[in-house]
């Protein structure tokens, strides 16, 4: 790890602990979700973020609670790193009434207004125009906050990606676009889907400043995100950050992974962001093995408590099926 | 006696594609993950090895782009099969389908036809929530210039594609996601092609017509079987084609049974069920002994939780209640 980088973001013991803890929490949460999927407690599509934790955790460090976050269907990590309460996220996985979306969304559609977490969008590329609009509203209201939009490299082929890049650049909107390039869109590899495989070039062609970072290195991601976010806050318009990463698991639980080599997956697993950061933390003496073990135990407890909460939570009554289709209008507001 | 063999709906779809590719060199399959991945629902597994990347063409995530390219390729003399993963994603290509594919024949004064087949999965039942579960067949059935089909049986899944490919105009084909694992028997040899127009009576009856299509057919048949135990003898009509609708078969059935229940997984408001109900009212009003009843999806984006998804969509119990309702009047 680059020492000049570690200086810049003050890698205090507290900060390192938090970075490691959050990545480990996301990992544990999702491993548990995979088990619960096997038990059919969680259904539908389940897209795991395992291997990619450093991206959400690193980028979130650069955001304030006032900023907005837009994510995709692979958003458990983003939701947790954004500070959504673990029990409500787990309850949503179960489809319970206490879930973050009252059980209407499930794994792919986690939302939380208080945290300004705008989902949870399962239409590839669908989140980008939304982020542009959130940023437009901020700019029109003179609010000093930004919108951070996460999406996969597969989205770069969609028209909505290109339309959003242009709008954001044209109107100099306060958006940070974070492209999590894990090299595959379902079974289609980047070189089989893009004539220009350097994703940053796409952003640059709209005159958006763009850079890449090792998405398996949480500190590097944080540093790059802080720089990009500062540029957005300074009024330089949208910024684009490509995080180079890899998903260790299948695209979803239905994917037999016929399109990639086991050896390739194993090679990337050596770069596991949690393993790497943990080794660095131990080597530098920032934390001791026993302290990490204590974090692990605390996380396991937290996840089990979330499971218990989800298990014991009620189902939404069927009578309430059609609630929240439209917003109730207060009578007084009409007069 | 004809020889039968066991297949799944998924197999039937795959064989239909495979067979068409063998019979006509201008046929090719194009869509997201149809090649290496084998299709989002596994319908094209193995076809890449057999036909190569040119004809089993993986596309980037670009629904408007590759659907439009399918239209252009059809104009250019090819016979493309465009696969869109689900009807929800087809909305990104709606412009190309409605504004170009459906319109070009007429707005060019009959100079250009678009012999294109667009296949897509539709429907709820897998707890995939509001961006993967909708039934928007009626959006397409609304549009002149295209034909819309919904194979509900193995024989239709195997047989409609070839006929659709022979058609000079765009055909949109809906495969309900809950059908892919269905297993049954189809003819092992001979001409397996099936017409892409006309409804089929899947169960003859005299007391009430249950009119449905796609993923709801098995629910309608299950309801009819249960009602038979109460001595209600229902006729079940599988629409097969959603545009054009086979009014003749529908009206003849209602003339006979004097009662109709329409089962449609689309939302009730502005549904195909509404269209069929109007068609019955216009054509068989005086034959009716009871108002037409509809069993549709509740007016809500399809929710994730299992019990809510079930209560949002047509189920056997709801069909039975609706049929009893019209029979007791
Ligand atoms: C418009 C649209 N088309 C297709 C899909 C099906 N689909 C879901 S995820 C996915 C791959 C997306 O890849 P990428 O953007 O790289 O994100 P990743 O899954 O790798 O995180 C596809 C094709 C979809 N959800 N939305
Ligand atoms: Mg990807």
């Amino acid at each position: 790890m680059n020492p000049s980088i570690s200086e810049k973001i003050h890698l205090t013991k507290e900060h390192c602990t938090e970075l490691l803890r959050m990545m480990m929490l996301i990992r544990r949460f999702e491993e548990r979700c995979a088990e619960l999927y096997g038990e059919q407690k969680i259904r539908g599509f389940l897209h795991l973020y395992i291997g990619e934790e450093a991206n959400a955790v690193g980028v979130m460090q650069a955001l304030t609670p006032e900023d907005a976050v837009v994510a995709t269907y692979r958003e458990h990590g983003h939701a947790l790193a954004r500070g959504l309460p673990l029990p409500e996220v787990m309850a949503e996985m179960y489809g319970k009434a206490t879930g973050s979306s009252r059980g209407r969304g499930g794994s792919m559609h986690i939302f939380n207004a208080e945290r300004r977490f705008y989902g949870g969008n399962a239409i590839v590329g669908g989140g980008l125009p939304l982020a542009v609009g959130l940023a437009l509203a901020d700019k029109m209201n003179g609010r000093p906050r930004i919108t951070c939009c996460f999406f996969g490299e597969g989205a770069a082929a969609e028209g909505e990606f290109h339309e959003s890049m242009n709008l954001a650049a044209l109107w100099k909107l306060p958006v940070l676009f974070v492209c999590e390039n894990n090299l595959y869109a379902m079974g289609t590899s980047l070189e089989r889907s893009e004539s220009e495989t350097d994703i940053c070039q796409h952003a640059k062609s709209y005159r958006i400043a763009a850079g890449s970072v090792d998405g398996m290195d949480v500190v590097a991601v944080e540093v790059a995100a802080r720089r990009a976010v500062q540029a957005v806050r300074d009024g330089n318009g949208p910024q684009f950050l490509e995080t180079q990463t890899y998903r260790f698991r299948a695209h979803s639980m239905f994917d037999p992974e016929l399109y990639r080599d086991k050896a390739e997956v194993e090679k990337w697993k050596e770069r596991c962001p949690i393993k790497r950061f943990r080794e660095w933390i131990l080597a530098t003496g920032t934390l001791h093995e026993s302290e990490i073990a204590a974090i692990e135990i605390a996380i396991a407890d937290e996840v089990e408590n979330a499971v218990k909460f989800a298990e014991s939570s009620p189902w939404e009554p069927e009578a309430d099926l059609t609630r929240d289709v439209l917003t109730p209008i207060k009578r007084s507001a009409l007069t | 006696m004809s020889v039968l063999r066991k297949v799944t709906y998924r197999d039937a779809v795959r064989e239909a594609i495979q067979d068409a590719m063998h019979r006509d060199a201008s046929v090719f399959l194009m869509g997201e993950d149809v090649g290496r991945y084998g299709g989002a629902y596994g319908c094209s597994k193995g076809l890449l090895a057999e036909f190569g990347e040119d004809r089993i063409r993986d596309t980037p995530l670009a629904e408007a782009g590759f659907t439009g390219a399918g239209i252009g390729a059809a104009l250019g003399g090819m016979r493309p099969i465009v696969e869109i993963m689900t009807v929800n994603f087809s909305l990104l290509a709606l412009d190309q389908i409605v504004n170009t594919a459906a319109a070009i024949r007429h707005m060019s004064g009959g100079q250009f036809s678009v012999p294109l087949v667009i296949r897509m999965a539709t429907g709820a039942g897998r707890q995939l929530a509001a961006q993967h579960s909708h039934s928007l067949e009626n959006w397409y059935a609304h549009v002149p210039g295209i034909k819309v089909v919904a194979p509900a049986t193995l024989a239709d899944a195997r047989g409609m594609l070839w006929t659709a490919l022979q058609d000079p105009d765009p055909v949109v084909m809906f495969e309900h996601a809950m059908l892919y694992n269905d297993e049954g028997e189809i003819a092992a040899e001979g001409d397996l092609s099936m017409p892409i127009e006309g409804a089929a009576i899947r169960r003859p009856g005299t007391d009430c017509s249950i009119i449905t299509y796609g993923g709801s057919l098995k629910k309608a048949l299950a309801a009819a079987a249960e009602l038979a135990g109460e001595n209600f003898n229902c006729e079940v009509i599988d629409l097969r084609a959603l545009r054009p609708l086979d009014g003749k078969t529908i009206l003849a059935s209602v003339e006979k049974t004097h009662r109709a229940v329409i089962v449609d997984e689309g939302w009730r408001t502005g549904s195909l069920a509404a269209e069929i109900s109007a068609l019955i009212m216009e054509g068989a009003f005086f034959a009716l002994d009871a108002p037409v009843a509809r069993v549709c999806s509740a007016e809500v984006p399809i929710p994730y939780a299992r019990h809510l998804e079930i209560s949002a969509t047509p189920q056997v119990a709801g069909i039975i209640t609706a049929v009893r309702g019209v029979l007791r009047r």
Side-chain angles (χ1 to χ4, degrees):
Chain A
M1 206 157 294
N2 185 339
S4 67
I5 286 175
S6 50
E7 277 155 32
K8 267 192 205 114
I9 61 163
H10 300 296
L11 282 177
T12 60
K13 180 168 175 166
E14 291 66 43
H15 191 61
C16 288
T17 306
E18 186 44 30
L19 291 177
L20 182 66
R21 193 192 74 84
M22 188 49 79
M23 289 199 292
M24 282 167 41
L25 177 69
I26 295 168
R27 178 72 57 97
R28 177 79 188 191
F29 173 86
E30 289 205 314
E31 282 171 345
R32 195 72 179 89
C33 285
E35 286 170 21
L36 292 164
Y37 198 88
E39 296 168 27
Q40 306 204 344
K41 299 278 187 183
I42 298 173
R43 311 290 301 264
F45 282 155
L46 179 67
H47 305 91
L48 299 177
Y49 195 54
I50 291 176
E52 306 187 45
E53 296 90 343
N55 303 289
V57 173
V59 171
M60 280 327 158
Q61 307 307 315
L63 303 181
T64 69
E66 289 73 41
D67 296 329
V69 176
V70 177
T72 70
Y73 47 85
R74 197 184 297 288
E75 89 286 32
H76 311 142
H78 308 81
L80 296 178
R82 181 60 181 170
L84 270 70
L86 190 60
E88 77 171 42
V89 178
M90 186 59 93
E92 189 58 36
M93 308 296 292
Y94 272 69
K96 294 292 182 87
T98 52
S100 43
S101 305
R102 298 191 70 92
R104 309 312 173 101
S107 159
M108 296 192 285
H109 306 298
I110 295 167
F111 290 81
N112 185 310
E114 218 174 294
R115 297 281 188 275
R116 300 205 73 222
F117 190 75
Y118 290 90
N121 198 319
I123 301 301
V124 172
L128 282 94
L130 192 82
V132 167
L134 284 163
L136 175 63
D138 283 340
K139 180 161 180 166
M140 291 176 79
N141 285 290
R143 288 184 295 237
R145 57 192 201 187
I146 76 160
T147 299
C148 178
C149 181
F150 293 91
F151 52 92
E153 87 297 337
E158 291 282 9
E160 289 179 355
F161 169 93
H162 293 274
E163 295 174 26
S164 300
M165 288 295 123
N166 186 43
L167 286 176
L170 187 69
W171 295 337
K172 294 206 167 38
L173 299 178
V175 191
L176 172 62
F177 293 108
V178 180
C179 178
E180 299 178 319
N181 179 2
N182 61 11
L183 300 173
Y184 292 90
M186 274 181 72
T188 305
S189 63
L190 180 59
E191 68 269 18
R192 296 181 64 247
S193 69
E194 288 291 342
S195 59
E196 171 56 83
T197 53
D198 178 354
I199 299 288
C200 287
Q201 289 299 334
H202 297 270
K204 285 178 185 163
S205 75
Y206 295 98
R207 297 175 180 251
I208 295 176
S212 301
V213 67
D214 177 1
M216 309 305 272
D217 178 344
V218 68
V219 175
V221 172
E222 177 178 347
V223 170
R226 282 190 186 277
R227 260 191 222 123
V229 164
Q230 197 52 54
V232 178
R233 293 202 201 283
D234 289 346
N236 297 318
Q239 305 284 310
F240 189 97
L241 181 62
E242 178 205 359
T243 61
Q244 295 173 340
T245 186
Y246 200 79
R247 69 170 151 73
F248 294 171
R249 299 289 186 99
H251 167 76
S252 73
M253 305 307 272
F254 294 104
D255 167 14
E257 292 186 82
L258 304 173
Y259 49 84
R260 63 181 189 182
D261 254 20
K262 286 228 163 58
E264 180 185 291
V265 182
E266 290 311 312
K267 207 188 82 206
W268 274 91
K269 279 187 181 168
E270 287 166 20
R271 295 178 57 194
C272 170
I274 297 175
K275 181 171 146 253
R276 274 170 90 191
F277 191 54
R278 182 187 176 126
E279 281 164 10
W280 180 84
I281 274 183
L282 289 171
T284 54
T286 315
L287 286 180
H288 295 293
E289 197 69 76
S290 61
E291 290 171 298
I292 295 181
I295 296 173
E296 246 160 14
I297 290 169
I299 284 173
D301 271 2
E302 222 186 309
V303 172
E304 283 329 294
N305 285 336
V307 171
K308 277 190 204 127
F309 173 79
E311 287 279 350
S312 62
S313 285
W315 298 106
E316 180 92 328
E318 268 173 45
D320 286 346
L321 173 66
T322 58
R323 68 171 279 167
D324 296 330
V325 176
L326 291 174
T327 314
I329 297 171
K330 286 199 191 80
R331 283 292 131 198
S332 59
L334 291 175
T335 54
Chain B
M1 206 183 79
S2 69
V3 190
L4 296 175
R5 74 204 161 86
K6 222 176 187 169
V7 291
T8 63
Y9 187 96
R10 176 180 290 107
D11 295 333
V13 171
R14 179 175 47 244
E15 284 179 22
I17 298 167
Q18 192 178 27
D19 181 40
M21 305 251 312
H22 280 301
R23 284 163 86 168
D24 182 346
S26 64
V27 172
F28 70 102
L29 176 70
M30 157 161 78
E32 289 159 13
D33 286 308
V34 297
R36 294 261 162 118
Y37 194 89
Y41 287 96
C43 291
S44 47
K45 200 160 279 173
L47 298 186
L48 176 66
E50 186 172 353
F51 297 103
E53 293 196 344
D54 222 34
R55 294 183 69 201
I56 301 293
R57 186 169 287 265
D58 274 326
T59 67
L61 277 137
E63 288 79 5
F66 68 75
T67 303
I71 298 168
L75 287 171
M78 301 299 285
R79 293 272 166 164
I81 304 169
V82 165
E83 175 177 311
I84 301 178
M85 283 186 182
T86 79
V87 67
N88 281 84
F89 312 157
S90 82
L91 302 189
L92 282 76
L94 196 58
D95 163 57
Q96 288 294 324
I97 300 171
V98 176
N99 285 325
T100 304
I104 205 165
R105 166 94 191 153
H106 186 75
M107 71 186 178
S108 69
Q111 295 183 78
F112 298 112
S113 298
V114 180
L116 168 71
V117 176
I118 303 171
R119 299 174 36 244
M120 62 185 88
T122 186
R126 304 178 70 221
Q127 285 192 259
L128 300 182
Q131 292 183 329
H132 283 77
S133 306
H134 291 153
S135 285
L136 304 175
E137 290 88 322
N138 64 321
W139 291 31
Y140 291 95
H142 182 63
V143 181
I146 56 181
K147 294 178 181 173
V148 181
V149 298
T153 63
L154 298 169
D156 275 348
R158 176 65 181 84
M160 278 177 143
L161 182 70
W162 179 250
T163 314
L165 284 164
Q166 304 317 296
D167 199 275
D169 295 312
V171 179
V172 179
M173 185 175 282
F174 287 99
E175 298 160 7
H176 196 287
M178 294 304 282
L179 292 175
Y180 287 120
N181 290 332
D182 281 7
E183 218 176 346
E185 290 178 326
I186 59 170
E189 55 207 29
D191 180 11
L192 299 181
S193 66
M194 287 288 181
I196 58 166
E197 292 189 9
I201 294 170
R202 300 295 183 200
R203 179 190 174 110
T206 49
D207 298 336
C208 177
S209 305
I210 306 180
I211 302 156
T212 190
Y213 67 92
S216 298
L217 175 62
K218 30 182 187 182
K219 295 176 184 174
L221 287 169
E226 202 166 324
L227 286 158
E230 299 173 23
N231 279 329
F232 293 142
N233 187 4
C234 294
E235 177 147 299
V236 177
I237 296 179
D238 170 8
L239 290 170
R240 299 182 68 256
L242 308 182
R243 182 181 189 98
L245 281 170
D246 179 0
K248 235 171 100 183
T249 300
I250 295 168
L251 294 177
S253 177
V254 175
E255 296 280 356
K256 179 173 69 174
T257 64
H258 309 290
R259 289 172 171 88
V261 170
I262 308 158
V263 185
D264 175 2
E265 206 179 296
W267 292 298
R268 177 183 300 261
T269 303
S271 59
L272 263 170
E275 176 63 29
I276 293 161
S277 175
L279 190 148
I280 293 170
M281 193 274 290
E282 288 165 345
F285 182 77
F286 296 105
L288 285 173
D289 283 347
V292 172
R294 288 185 282 163
V295 181
C296 299
S297 281
E299 307 275 330
V300 60
I302 302 297
Y304 161 69
R306 177 119 196 95
H307 67 300
L308 296 179
E309 183 185 47
I310 288 172
S311 71
T313 48
Q315 303 300 339
V316 176
I319 301 169
I320 290 172
T321 306
V323 173
R324 282 193 195 128
V326 300
L327 279 165
R328 289 200 179 131
R329 291 186 68 119

